[in-house]
Amino acid sequence: MAVRKLAPDDIQPKSFAFSPENEAWAEGQIAKYPAGRQASAVISLLWRAQEQSGGWLPRRAIEAVAAKLDMATIRVMEVATFYTMFNLEPVGKYFIQFCGTTPCVLRGAGDIKKVLERRVGEQNHVSADGKFSWLEVECLGACCNAPMVQINDDYYEDLTTETFETLLDDLAAGRPVKTGPQNGRHASEPQDDIKTLQDPKLYDGSMIGAWRKRFEEEAVKTADTGEAAAATASVPEGGKAAKPPAGRPEESKAAETPATRAKAGETPIHPADRKEASDPSKATKIDPETQDKAKPAPQSDKSYVATPSKPEAGRPVPDAPTTPIAGTPPSDADTRRDGSESKPGVTVDKDNKTS
Ligand code: FES
């Protein structure tokens, strides 16, 4: 892990203040959080301060963010030095993060690194013209397009030494460059022998909504040709839709319910049911003798949970405590199991009383 410390004092700027635009933006970020929780905006403010400072965080910028959020400077310093997205020393106009993790290395990242060392120099140093600096980082999540680098906010993938040299040439000359794969791939689709997703319409937007159009066209066609009427006319009159005799249940009338009775203008409860409910001779009887005698739930004598010993069940009862007796030399402690030393001068009898 790299040592992350602030840049030397001789290259630190003397002051920092957010520009009016960034000041207004910062206020908007802070307003997203409840009163007293403005520290939650620390990362977004540090990020904006880094952008304003040319890609790195001077000490004065960290202090300014701390003052704005009413935080102790050391707290903000901890955040800035912890997250590697914050650069603590100046970087080039094009800050190259080179992926040196296994998939990229297996695909030729070592050769990309040699190009960087030859053209830019050691990592963490800005090139003489101020345009480039680079840093080796862990996987950037684009392994399907290895080897790759991130330059400022963009990924450049499927690199070879030739395409990477060309990329650096174009950036140095201020020419426009293409982000993403540099070998003609659209994304991370198979590179050779492509058999699917080859229709150019998939990528030009012309197929958006095509399925809806097709259904609409088919609906119009059906109406025009009278296919729907023909389909209805083909069903024989009086034909049976199902075959109840073949074992399928026949649809039956819904059971009489309070709702159906009320709908028919009758009382919701049938008079015969009401009479039966009020007949005490038909009420459920409870034996007063057995009512209060709670019957214990049946239990197995086997349990997965440790239970106290049951001498009556034939289990042995230990006649001595199984814990070590303090003050007993290890050689005399019959019940000692862990071999640890006991406290001298304290003894415990069989009833667990200390003296
Ligand atoms: S290993 Fe390089 S992007 Fe994942």
Side-chain angles (χ1 to χ4, degrees):
M1 179 180 281
V3 176
R4 291 179 53 76
K5 55 186 182 182
L6 297 184
D9 285 344
D10 56 339
I11 61 171
Q12 291 280 355
K14 295 281 181 279
S15 63
F16 174 88
F18 276 123
S19 65
E21 299 79 31
N22 286 342
E23 186 71 34
W25 179 88
E27 293 296 340
Q29 295 299 305
I30 295 169
K32 290 179 179 176
Y33 303 99
R37 303 285 180 182
Q38 69 274 16
S40 300
V42 64
I43 286 184
S44 47
L45 264 64
L46 281 175
W47 184 255
R48 185 54 66 102
Q50 176 166 286
E51 288 180 335
Q52 183 178 316
S53 304
W56 70 292
L57 272 179
R59 177 193 296 275
R60 295 291 180 225
I62 295 172
E63 292 171 350
V65 169
K68 183 147 198 68
L69 297 178
D70 198 18
M71 295 173 67
T73 302
I74 186 62
R75 297 282 313 281
V76 183
M77 202 79 80
E78 287 167 352
V79 174
T81 54
F82 180 81
Y83 290 106
T84 54
M85 62 198 250
F86 297 121
N87 299 312
L88 302 176
E89 298 198 33
V91 296
K93 179 182 178 187
Y94 300 107
F95 174 50
I96 303 168
Q97 296 184 69
F98 157 77
C99 175
T101 303
T102 310
C104 279
V105 170
L106 292 174
R107 294 279 295 164
D111 294 332
I112 303 297
K113 187 174 183 178
K114 284 180 188 153
V115 172
L116 283 167
E117 288 170 338
R118 175 168 47 81
R119 293 193 51 153
V120 183
E122 287 297 304
Q123 63 176 319
N124 281 322
H125 286 85
V126 181
S127 60
D129 59 5
K131 288 189 173 166
F132 296 103
S133 67
W134 71 280
L135 178 69
E136 180 168 342
V137 297
E138 300 302 326
C139 177
L140 288 168
C143 323
C144 290
N145 297 76
M148 58 81 65
V149 298
Q150 178 179 347
I151 302 179
N152 294 345
D153 295 333
D154 294 311
Y155 278 14
Y156 298 84
E157 305 155 316
D158 291 323
L159 296 170
T160 62
T161 51
E162 293 75 30
T163 57
F164 188 50
E165 296 248 22
T166 304
L167 180 62
L168 295 181
D169 289 339
D170 290 343
L171 289 171
R175 290 190 286 268
V177 295
K178 175 187 176 299
T179 60
Q182 304 293 307
N183 66 346
R185 280 210 281 181
H186 174 73
S188 55
E189 72 275 14
Q191 191 168 347
D192 305 309
D193 198 22
I194 300 174
K195 294 188 170 66
T196 60
L197 303 175
Q198 298 185 76
D199 189 344
K201 288 183 188 165
L202 288 170
Y203 307 104
D204 63 9
S206 63
M207 292 185 74
I208 296 173
W211 62 272
R212 184 196 300 271
K213 194 161 173 255
R214 180 161 59 84
F215 284 126
E216 288 169 354
E217 286 172 355
E218 285 181 2
V220 170
K221 188 175 157 196
T222 303
D224 287 349
T225 58
E227 283 181 24
T232 307
S234 66
V235 178
E237 208 166 310
K240 293 178 182 174
K243 296 178 182 173
R248 299 185 191 181
E250 289 187 63
E251 185 181 0
S252 59
K253 199 179 163 199
E256 186 180 67
T257 64
T260 55
R261 291 184 57 79
K263 200 172 177 185
E266 300 172 8
T267 56
I269 306 297
H270 196 285
D273 294 341
R274 189 189 298 275
K275 189 177 172 195
E276 185 176 322
S278 60
D279 184 357
S281 68
K282 297 197 175 181
T284 305
K285 291 192 174 57
I286 301 173
D287 182 357
E289 279 291 308
T290 59
Q291 184 179 4
D292 295 332
K293 291 177 185 171
K295 193 176 177 184
Q299 284 190 337
S300 163
D301 62 349
K302 293 179 180 170
S303 172
Y304 294 103
V305 180
T307 56
S309 294
K310 296 178 184 171
E312 68 278 11
R315 298 187 188 177
V317 180
D319 57 1
T322 56
T323 50
I325 298 175
T328 307
S331 58
D332 297 335
D334 295 339
T335 56
R336 186 180 302 283
R337 292 179 176 174
D338 59 3
S340 61
E341 292 295 330
S342 56
K343 291 180 185 173
V346 181
T347 59
V348 181
D349 62 18
K350 286 186 176 182
D351 295 320
N352 258 349
K353 289 180 180 161
T354 57
S355 60

